[in-house]
Amino acid sequence: MNKKKRWKAIGYPIAVLAAAAIAAVAVRGSGSPFGYPARDAASLSRPEKAAPAAGSAGTTLAARAMPASALDEPSEAELARVYDIVIAGGRVINPETGLDRKGVNVAVQDGRIALVTARPVKGRRTIDASGLVVAPGFIDNLSYDPNPLGVWNKIADGVTANIAMHGGTDAPRKWYPYYERAETPLHYGASFFYTKARNKQGIGLYTPATAAQTRRLAAEAEQALQDGVLGISFSLEYVPGIGADEVLPLMRLAYKYNVPVYFHARYSDMTEPGTNIDAMNEIIGYARETGASVHVDHINSTGGTFSMKQSLDMLAKARAEGLDITACTYPYDYWGTYLNSARFDKGWQERFRITYKDLQIAGTSERLTETTFGTFKKEGKLAVAYAIPEQDIEDSLAAPFVMIGSDAILEPGNNNHPRASGTFARTVGLYVREHRALSLMDAVAKMSLMPAKRLERQAPALRKKGRIARGMDADIVIFDYAKIGDRSTVERPELPSAGIRYVLIGGRIALDGQGLHKNVRAGEPIRSAFVRVPARGAGVLELAASSTRTSSVPALSYRGEAYADVRALEALGYALSWDARSHTFVAQAVAGHGLGEGPAVADLAASSRGAEPEGATGEAPGPGELMLERGHRLAWPGGEAELLSIGRRDFVPLAVLKRLGMDVRASGPDVWTAVSAG
């Protein structure tokens, strides 16, 4: 049966999901993801063409001054120290702070960045980076298993972390130790790959799972999350039998554990029945229904081809609602996949607007005919398809919520798309330097900071990557802006990129002028980690407005910091309101309000974020409940802070209460007191 007709037969309640109430999700707001400045709506549809020359600092996402904190002011003791490595005099780019400045020195010690300064510093080894760009190591979040051949091409392309979020594993207890024993040279992590788990149950590609099978798969996914996978991945186009009854339980699980769900969308074209618009509606619908974070894989080849502006606009509007949705793209106007996959089901020529001659066997110069198509399909060969409009690439690169992902890693035999070796260098060389489709700052953000922040909420290792700043991991790429570019081709996908001079992984030099150093095995596993309310339960914050008027709210410690139920603020004289789109509590001091006289924040939360369990708002978190950083925030005149989420409740750092002028003290194990200054 045709895959699109089959999906129509399975059915999907898009209309129901479209009408669903917006659930609480983990984003800062309706602007750019992860705090990186966003373009306004008008500029989303057409990127600016200001020349991002090697000496320019201009970011096209927003005009802003570089904060003073972007560079360190070392002490005399720090200046006198001799560091392991000093990267001297480069143009340093850190998209998190907006730093883009020449003549900066980066000191590396014990695998971490010790200093980023304009002052001269000494190193046991000094890398002369004058005339070169120094950027965070690139993070490929849409790769596959880090096989021992492909990892070196990744490093040669500036990649320092290879994350298998397209594919992955159903057995992380085996997967992570395997690559650890292999001494994988770059950092690595994986998703729970639903297709693989489904196949092990013997479920056909075009067959829906039963309710019992879905329950087993959901249980496997939950165990995999507890064992360290970074999220959940679906390949709906390749497994047309997967329906909403299978997806939604996994989406709810992802929301519970605060991890993203990566989707290879169901459709890749605009031919009815089943179009990119239906594919985007499906994914957006799942996000609305469950509140889970979602990521659209390679939107340039799936979900956006021939409809890029419309598809991006749909995602932008969903984000404006408060949904946590991102996507990625790769900088090629041709895609590639296996000829025996569902993508080449009957009707592919019409759907993709190509013929046999537009297909080429990767790793060769052979274009296909009807006869050779059948032969190579039986062999399961990977072919590239010249089927993506160039404008779709530039439009996808311009979107502020779209990052870079390769969707490939080189395999033995070289039957691979050239993106396996050239994605990141090509992004800079072709689309920044030559096409001027985006600025260098934007490109670096899309290749480092944004993928780190997409996954870091439950992966602590990624909070130290994607940045050039004191205390960050020394995962660094140094390249020649004038020469960086891809060399890999369809015929020769194994050719390494040009213009990348140095790659440091964990402070060790894996690539320099002498080539790749294959004895350097600095890769570390990147895993999810979850903190739960301890078995003894939560503690308490005692609130006092005077010696005779007291109240209390639940409080606890999380990663070394104390938190209390955000209701503490209302009891201490603040009114709280909840903005569901930006996921922010806004606190305002209320004149004349004493202890307990403010509006009930629990009621605000219930009305703004959806119904809560009966009586849950008055109870302390129970032992074993997940403590999560969902991106909820507290804002008040003059400041803002991240909140901790437990169930449907949010907790404020006690340090914030101190900033608001309250006297906060620890008065015993798991017991704190706070007294309002007023």
Side-chain angles (χ1 to χ4, degrees), residues 252-552:
R252 294 187 182 104
L253 181 68
Y255 177 78
K256 175 183 175 182
Y257 280 84
N258 198 35
V259 297
V261 181
Y262 276 53
F263 280 99
H264 177 119
R266 192 171 300 279
Y267 305 123
S268 300
D269 58 85
M270 289 299 289
T271 302
E272 293 283 2
T275 68
N276 291 333
I277 308 310
D278 297 319
M280 293 297 99
N281 275 328
E282 178 181 3
I283 293 171
I284 293 167
Y286 290 143
R288 285 198 185 105
E289 177 79 1
T290 65
S293 304
V294 301
H295 181 88
V296 179
D297 300 349
H298 46 65
I299 193 170
N300 56 313
S301 65
T302 311
T305 312
F306 313 128
S307 65
M308 187 59 70
K309 285 185 172 64
Q310 186 175 356
S311 296
L312 291 172
D313 185 59
M314 293 174 70
L315 296 182
K317 288 178 178 176
R319 286 171 49 77
E321 296 176 16
L323 302 181
D324 184 9
I325 299 179
T326 55
C328 63
T329 189
Y330 53 79
Y332 295 83
D333 59 0
Y334 49 92
W335 48 262
T337 197
Y338 297 98
L339 292 171
N340 58 354
S341 73
R343 195 172 177 105
F344 284 105
D345 280 356
K346 185 178 179 180
W348 59 266
Q349 297 100 319
E350 178 186 11
R351 293 197 303 274
F352 301 129
R353 306 178 189 179
I354 57 175
T355 64
Y356 293 105
K357 68 180 181 180
D358 296 307
L359 301 178
Q360 182 176 344
I361 298 299
T364 77
S365 58
E366 183 166 357
R367 295 289 186 114
L368 298 190
T369 66
E370 184 173 3
T371 300
T372 57
F373 176 86
T375 300
F376 287 121
K377 184 172 184 175
K378 290 178 182 178
E379 296 177 7
K381 289 290 188 181
L382 185 145
V384 302
Y386 297 95
I388 303 175
E390 172 64 25
Q391 190 61 52
D392 283 356
I393 306 301
E394 296 205 2
D395 288 340
S396 64
L397 287 169
F401 52 85
V402 175
M403 61 196 75
I404 304 298
S406 73
D407 186 25
I409 189 168
L410 191 71
E411 299 281 355
N414 295 341
N415 181 217
N416 294 99
H417 193 293
R419 65 194 179 209
S421 300
T423 291
F424 295 86
R426 181 180 176 91
T427 297
V428 177
L430 185 61
Y431 286 97
V432 177
R433 188 183 63 235
E434 296 184 19
H435 289 190
R436 299 179 178 180
L438 72 168
S439 74
L440 182 56
M441 175 68 82
D442 287 0
V444 170
K446 289 171 181 289
M447 298 187 295
S448 59
L449 179 66
M450 288 175 64
K453 294 189 77 66
R454 171 74 285 180
L455 294 164
E456 73 181 10
R457 288 175 185 151
Q458 294 309 141
L462 286 170
R463 301 178 190 187
K464 297 292 185 179
K465 303 185 188 301
R467 296 95 163 163
I468 299 288
R470 184 198 292 261
M472 297 295 107
D473 291 340
D475 299 331
I476 300 170
V477 58
I478 305 170
F479 59 86
D480 185 335
Y481 180 83
K483 296 181 179 178
I484 189 172
D486 61 314
R487 297 174 60 241
S488 57
T489 65
V490 176
E491 295 78 12
R492 297 285 307 278
E494 81 283 4
L495 294 176
S497 293
I500 294 177
R501 297 290 185 83
Y502 297 86
V503 175
L504 282 71
I505 302 175
R508 300 177 65 187
I509 298 174
L511 172 71
D512 62 11
Q514 298 177 5
L516 289 162
H517 294 282
K518 295 192 175 182
N519 62 320
V520 173
R521 302 296 179 116
E524 296 287 344
I526 299 172
R527 293 185 174 96
S528 286
F530 301 98
V531 179
R532 296 178 181 269
V533 176
R536 64 182 181 273
V540 65
L541 173 67
E542 297 176 344
L543 309 166
S546 70
S547 60
T548 59
R549 301 178 63 192
T550 62
S551 183
S552 65

Side-chain angles (χ1 to χ4, degrees), residues 581-622:
R581 293 190 177 185
S582 65
H583 309 285
T584 300
F585 280 108
V586 178
Q588 292 282 350
V590 179
H593 275 203
L595 184 67
E597 295 179 10
V601 68
D603 295 338
L604 286 167
S607 64
S608 300
R609 292 192 286 165
E612 300 196 20
E614 185 73 24
T617 57
E619 300 171 0

Side-chain angles (χ1 to χ4, degrees), residues 550-568:
T550 62
S551 183
S552 65
V553 295
L556 34 69
S557 292
Y558 171 79
R559 299 190 187 278
E561 186 170 3
Y563 289 78
D565 193 311
V566 74
R567 290 178 300 164

